[in-house]
Amino acid sequence: MLTLEMTLAVQNLVAMQAFYTALLGSDPQVVWGDRYAGFQIYGQRLGLFRPRGEERDRWRSAQGAWSLCLYVPDLEAACQTVLAAGGQIESAAIAETYGRECYARDPEGNRLLLCQGEPPVTLPDPQPA
């Protein structure tokens, strides 16, 4: 079976684990010492890992084209959680066809897109061949 997990390299695993625990409202299901914390939310997986010392420069956060998109039941509450957990809100909420959204950053500068409303596309689970 194929499993897809988004993994995010972090410099401070303890701080980032606390941030995502607060934002996701769930403790990680898997923790491997000071190297990895894995969350599973509604069938989706997010892994946080701390690169080894010699690998850290390669994994430093850069402003790129990707965003971790989280659909939340209450956009204002999610924004308050981001701020309280050490993140930043980058934009005011704007209306979209599916609901409302705003951009945020986690404590290490990774972009988050917080959305309130129904995801625009729901894909069926793949069927075995």
Side-chain angles (χ1 to χ4, degrees), residues 1-2 125-129:
M1 178 179 162
L2 181 66
D125 289 332
Q127 300 301 314

Side-chain angles (χ1 to χ4, degrees), residues 52-74:
R52 290 182 177 84
E54 67 275 8
E55 299 173 340
R56 287 195 184 137
D57 284 344
R58 177 176 17 160
W59 292 101
R60 293 232 182 258
S61 177
Q63 292 187 0
W66 77 277
S67 296
L68 178 60
C69 183
L70 299 172
Y71 284 86
V72 299
D74 183 332

Side-chain angles (χ1 to χ4, degrees), residues 19 62-63 82 86-90 103-107 109-112:
F19 177 84
Q63 292 187 0
V82 165
Q88 299 174 348
I89 301 301
E90 287 197 326
Y103 283 95
R105 296 237 178 226
D106 71 19
N110 300 296
R111 185 182 305 119
L112 305 171

Side-chain angles (χ1 to χ4, degrees), residues 8-121:
L8 182 60
V10 300
Q11 302 300 314
N12 184 333
L13 182 62
V14 172
M16 296 296 280
Q17 180 179 329
F19 177 84
Y20 282 98
T21 294
L23 183 60
L24 299 174
S26 175
D27 289 323
Q29 284 71 36
V30 177
V31 175
W32 296 331
D34 66 348
R35 299 271 298 140
Y36 177 87
F39 296 86
Q40 185 156 345
I41 306 294
Y42 301 111
Q44 305 300 310
R45 294 170 52 131
L46 172 64
L48 307 176
F49 77 97
R50 187 180 60 79
R52 290 182 177 84
E54 67 275 8
E55 299 173 340
R56 287 195 184 137
D57 284 344
R58 177 176 17 160
W59 292 101
R60 293 232 182 258
S61 177
Q63 292 187 0
W66 77 277
S67 296
L68 178 60
C69 183
L70 299 172
Y71 284 86
V72 299
D74 183 332
L75 187 59
E76 284 72 23
C79 290
Q80 289 303 313
T81 300
V82 165
L83 292 171
Q88 299 174 348
I89 301 301
E90 287 197 326
S91 70
I94 60 169
E96 284 292 342
T97 56
Y98 60 86
R100 299 169 48 234
E101 69 181 30
C102 74
Y103 283 95
R105 296 237 178 226
D106 71 19
E108 291 191 4
N110 300 296
R111 185 182 305 119
L112 305 171
L113 177 57
L114 304 175
C115 303
Q116 180 179 346
E118 291 298 316
V121 176

